[in-house]
Amino acid sequence: MAAPPPMPFTPEQLAQHDDRGPALVATSWTLTCFASVFLGLRVYCKIIGHRRLWWDDWILIAAWVALVIDAALATHMVVYYTYGRHTWDFHPPDLDGFVLTTAVRATLTVTAIAWTKTAFAITLLRLTDGWIKTTLKVIIVTMNIAFAATALIFWVQCTPIQKSWTPTMEGTCIGHFAAEFLGIFSGSYSALIDFFLALLPWKLLLGLQMKRKEKIGAAIAMSMGVLYVPHPSYLLFLSRRVCAVGRNN
């Protein structure tokens, strides 16, 4: 007689009923507030300095709007869909609505990431020339194409197209390979771009007529984006682990 299939969860796991939803909401709005403060200070300094907002400022403002909407949707998912609970306690009242909200959040997140990088690259465009300026233009175009494809793949992966965000609808969908490949590629490319954009200010500032301490301080401030590099790298590692598990099951 064949042995019964193993339980997906152990009794010890099923005994846990904690809810991470409130922590998700608190974290989302805390980070949004930090971003709001820094963006507000940036705009305020330009206003009191009688300088008009440029393209990089407006792109950052657009990214901030996407971030605020994303945080609001995260709150909605926690309050209405009970998002943040364990799988055995997670019973959304409307699965289709939950999937649609998740897709919108993912699109907004990818958009905000792409636009913030684009804004910084545009800022550097005004400080560079030659091959560096050309490289920045290539980065802006290719990065936005990669992120746009990553955000778009979810919405067009099924036939009829509505099934992409309506799992209860009858239809067919392509395999997960395309989405996994785009996610891995975008994560890798994002990490590479972060390194380049973080190190480029050192080349630009160290050649200026400034005090050494001022150069180093400004370069460090403009290179803080390097702290973000482990994030896409970790997502790349996690995506590969998830893909491997999916192939083995």
Side-chain angles (χ1 to χ4, degrees):
M1 181 177 179
M7 293 181 59
F9 304 107
T10 65
E12 291 77 12
Q13 290 176 318
L14 294 175
Q16 301 177 15
H17 301 283
D18 52 312
D19 186 359
R20 300 296 178 88
L24 171 63
V25 173
T27 302
S28 297
W29 284 110
T30 298
L31 295 177
T32 301
C33 289
F34 273 116
S36 302
V37 170
F38 283 108
L39 179 61
L41 290 174
R42 176 190 179 107
V43 175
Y44 174 75
C45 289
K46 289 209 168 186
I47 292 177
I48 64 174
H50 302 288
R51 292 179 295 168
R52 65 183 181 88
L53 299 181
W54 206 55
W55 278 106
D56 51 353
D57 301 301
W58 290 112
I59 293 175
L60 279 178
I61 292 174
W64 174 81
V65 171
L67 182 64
V68 172
I69 298 175
D70 178 82
L73 289 177
T75 304
H76 173 68
M77 292 174 65
V78 170
V79 174
Y80 182 72
Y81 294 111
T82 67
Y83 185 64
R85 299 181 181 180
H86 289 285
T87 303
W88 48 88
D89 291 329
F90 179 59
H91 305 292
D94 178 13
L95 180 60
D96 291 342
F98 172 76
V99 172
L100 177 60
T101 306
T102 302
V104 173
R105 277 200 66 208
T107 301
L108 290 172
T109 300
V110 171
T111 301
I113 293 174
W115 284 353
T116 51
K117 296 177 189 292
T118 299
F120 187 52
I122 290 178
T123 300
L124 295 176
L125 279 177
R126 294 187 289 176
L127 306 174
T128 58
D129 54 17
W131 69 269
I132 296 180
K133 192 167 190 174
T134 302
T135 302
L136 286 172
K137 291 179 180 179
V138 172
I139 285 177
I140 291 173
V141 174
T142 56
M143 174 186 62
N144 279 278
I145 291 176
F147 278 113
T150 302
L152 183 63
I153 186 63
F154 178 86
W155 300 97
V156 297
Q157 63 180 333
C158 296
T159 304
I161 195 171
Q162 291 85 352
K163 182 173 173 53
S164 299
W165 60 87
T166 312
T168 58
M169 176 182 290
E170 293 293 332
T172 58
C173 300
I174 62 176
H176 295 291
F177 174 78
E180 292 170 356
F181 173 79
L182 285 174
I184 292 174
F185 174 79
S186 297
S188 304
Y189 194 39
S190 177
L192 180 63
I193 291 173
D194 285 332
F195 267 119
F196 181 79
L197 295 180
L199 297 178
L200 183 58
W202 289 86
K203 175 178 176 57
L204 301 178
L205 293 175
L206 293 181
L208 298 179
Q209 297 297 323
M210 298 171 58
K211 294 181 180 179
R212 181 180 297 272
K213 292 182 179 180
E214 294 177 349
K215 291 180 182 180
I216 295 177
I220 291 176
M222 296 182 68
S223 300
M224 293 301 290
V226 74
L227 298 177
Y228 181 73
V229 172
H231 181 255
S233 302
Y234 173 73
L235 289 181
L236 168 62
F237 167 77
L238 186 60
S239 298
R240 297 186 65 180
R241 289 292 300 274
V242 171
C243 294
V245 172
R247 287 192 296 267
N248 293 332
N249 290 337

